[in-house]
Amino acid sequence: MENHLQKFFQFPFNLDKFTLNVSTDGEIMDSSARTLEKDNKKKGSVKQVLLDGCVPFSHQVAGHKCGINNTGVLQHPDGTILKQLQPPPRGPREMHFYTQVYAKDCTDTRLLDLQQHLPRFYGTWAPRESPHELYLKLEDVTKRFLRPCIMDVKMGKRSYDPFASLEKREEQISKYPLMEEIGFLLLGMRVYQINSDGYITLDQFYGRSLGKDTIKNGLTRFFHNGEDLQRHAVSLIISKIRSILRWFEGQTQLHFYASSLLLVYEGSPHTVNGWKHTQAETGTGHQQGEPQSKCNKHHEALSVQGSLTHSHPYCRETNANRMCAGSVEEEHAEIGMGDKKQFGQEEAVEVKMIDFAHVFPSNSPDEGYMYGLRNLLSTLEQILKTDI
């Protein structure tokens, strides 16, 4: 019997027949993946997106940047984030992954269990005047945090997939030769500092400068707020990563290459009852996670202006396997649930798997990804034992 997941993740895709069904308001329309690639290169495309009420996402620490001025990930007025599809086959492959994992009629327990480790997927979105320029519409996992500390960690022993050319393999290996030995790479981090009421930001070049003897120090920087090591955050994140490892240990159908873990914890010491905060109720008029201080002026250009609104209709599901459910008001309420909900210690951190442009079917465990998870867990456990 053909494996259920194999049918979901057939590769290579027939890109000439692969169509993307979307419109600016979620109605069905047809466009080929090759048309998508062409339209994504049009000048001024991101400028139009900004006119549709979207703004640059202020918490992006790594990943692809695209469009005019390399804007990168955008934030929709309803609070979701928009990730522009990459050119084929990467973009269609990532969209295919999300639509199958979140298909309404999905009955595969492995995929259903995987959902808890991914950002929620709300279909695709396109600006009104560029309907072929598609974006994945995803949950903003930083939304419920007042001062989110964020780190992007690329996972696995190698960052190229089985179909990569020799040139591509050599290029990826040269970027971080220790990837196979360490099993992960710090792509970027943004850490709130309570003494300055601002953020420090470290990019992929910092991550690539870390070796076997310094990787623990690099990770430690992510959990230090300028005064203290946030051991509670380390401990809670370890618990969530262990849960992801258990999922990998129980599946042999998928391999993930060049995929990342997004680690988030609350950096603000100003919370009610330990962990509850009401970021949308403070009336401060500035984006959560963006302290208004002189120390943080270099981030102001990327800040979301004003508080989030719901002036645009919710992007309806575009996957043919899913049906729209609930009213627009209910969907908005679901997206923004994190704003007002009380949460305990487990929800003071978040760990999500992201970036799925290189996911392929397999008949064996994903040893490369699990190797990286185990090494990351070991390093985090060492940090807990460190006296700082």
Side-chain angles (χ1 to χ4, degrees):
M1 180 182 294
E2 185 177 13
N3 186 280
H4 180 65
L5 286 175
Q6 292 283 351
K7 290 189 290 184
F8 273 170
F9 295 97
Q10 293 289 345
F11 186 87
F13 294 114
N14 185 340
L15 294 176
D16 292 323
K17 296 182 180 179
F18 187 83
T19 57
L20 308 176
N21 301 318
V22 68
S23 77
T24 56
D25 293 318
E27 297 176 355
I28 294 178
M29 65 174 294
D30 294 328
S31 61
S32 70
R34 297 192 188 282
T35 301
L36 167 67
E37 181 178 19
K38 179 180 178 181
D39 288 350
N40 279 348
K41 295 179 180 179
K42 287 184 177 180
K43 293 183 178 180
S45 59
V46 172
K47 180 179 180 181
Q48 178 59 46
V49 174
L50 298 178
L51 292 177
D52 280 354
C54 301
V55 293
F57 182 56
S58 61
H59 298 316
Q60 183 175 1
V61 296
H64 291 277
K65 301 233 174 152
C66 55
I68 192 168
N69 296 325
N70 290 321
T71 304
V73 175
L74 301 174
Q75 186 162 43
H76 191 278
D78 66 10
T80 57
I81 63 170
L82 304 170
K83 178 183 179 182
Q84 189 173 28
L85 260 69
Q86 300 175 58
R90 292 171 296 168
R93 188 188 295 124
E94 182 167 31
M95 189 181 77
H96 187 65
F97 172 82
Y98 273 115
T99 55
Q100 298 306 328
V101 171
Y102 282 97
K104 186 177 181 180
D105 60 354
C106 177
T107 58
D108 189 286
T109 57
R110 289 177 294 274
L111 293 183
L112 294 174
D113 289 343
L114 180 59
Q115 290 181 11
Q116 66 181 304
H117 303 305
L118 310 182
R120 293 198 63 180
F121 174 61
Y122 298 104
T124 52
W125 179 91
R128 286 187 292 267
E129 295 187 10
S130 301
H132 300 302
E133 184 176 310
L134 297 185
Y135 291 75
L136 298 172
K137 199 165 193 287
L138 301 166
E139 171 192 10
D140 174 8
V141 299
T142 71
K143 183 176 176 63
R144 71 168 184 260
F145 296 91
L146 186 64
R147 297 288 183 262
C149 297
I150 309 165
M151 181 164 61
D152 186 319
V153 186
K154 182 178 286 190
M155 300 302 303
K157 296 182 71 172
R158 67 188 199 194
S159 56
Y160 55 87
D161 65 51
F163 297 90
S165 65
L166 178 60
E167 180 182 6
K168 181 67 173 179
R169 295 181 183 209
E170 292 176 345
E171 175 191 355
Q172 290 299 313
I173 292 172
S174 67
K175 287 181 178 179
Y176 195 56
L178 288 173
M179 189 80 178
E180 184 169 355
E181 188 170 353
I182 294 177
F184 61 89
L185 166 64
L186 307 188
L187 287 180
M189 69 177 74
R190 195 159 179 263
V191 191
Y192 179 67
Q193 304 291 282
I194 63 174
N195 53 354
S196 63
D197 191 26
Y199 285 88
I200 61 168
T201 302
L202 299 170
D203 60 18
Q204 60 181 315
F205 298 104
Y206 171 76
R208 290 173 184 166
S209 73
L210 300 174
K212 292 181 294 182
D213 298 331
T214 56
I215 190 69
K216 187 182 83 169
N217 293 336
L219 273 172
T220 301
R221 293 192 69 174
F222 175 61
F223 294 100
H224 204 283
N225 64 8
E227 293 186 2
D228 299 297
L229 179 66
Q230 301 303 289
R231 297 180 187 275
H232 65 279
V234 181
S235 180
L236 294 172
I237 283 177
I238 284 175
S239 177
K240 288 186 177 288
I241 295 177
R242 282 176 179 162
S243 180
I244 293 174
L245 178 58
R246 284 194 295 272
W247 182 85
F248 272 92
E249 290 173 339
Q251 70 91 28
T252 59
Q253 288 78 22
L254 294 174
H255 278 197
F256 295 75
Y257 302 94
S259 184
S260 290
L261 287 183
L262 190 69
L263 279 54
V264 189
Y265 72 89
E266 178 57 69
S268 173
H270 306 299
T271 54
V272 180
N273 296 326
W275 295 111
K276 180 178 178 289
H277 62 75
T278 53
Q279 63 203 28
E281 301 171 345
T282 58
T284 57
H286 64 277
Q287 167 72 359
Q288 70 268 21
E290 288 293 340
Q292 292 183 323
S293 71
K294 294 181 180 179
C295 300
N296 207 38
K297 285 188 178 293
H298 62 287
H299 293 302
E300 289 179 1
L302 294 179
S303 296
V304 176
Q305 301 300 314
S307 60
L308 296 178
T309 67
H310 299 300
S311 58
H312 288 248
Y314 176 71
C315 178
R316 314 297 289 184
E317 287 295 347
T318 59
N319 177 13
N321 292 327
R322 300 189 72 177
M323 299 293 292
C324 297
S327 66
V328 172
E329 289 77 12
E330 289 171 339
E331 287 161 339
H332 278 163
E334 181 178 306
I335 292 174
M337 280 177 61
D339 288 346
K340 297 182 180 180
K341 104 179 192 181
Q342 295 186 3
F343 54 95
Q345 288 195 2
E346 281 298 316
E347 289 166 309
V349 305
E350 193 59 270
V351 178
K352 295 292 186 182
M353 296 170 60
I354 59 171
D355 297 337
F356 306 110
H358 303 276
V359 178
F360 297 91
S362 176
N363 294 311
S364 62
D366 191 344
E367 297 292 352
Y369 201 109
M370 289 192 292
Y371 177 86
L373 287 173
R374 291 176 180 130
N375 267 10
L376 179 58
L377 283 169
S378 175
T379 308
L380 292 173
E381 287 162 357
Q382 291 175 36
I383 292 173
L384 278 183
K385 301 174 183 177
T386 302
D387 293 326
I388 295 181

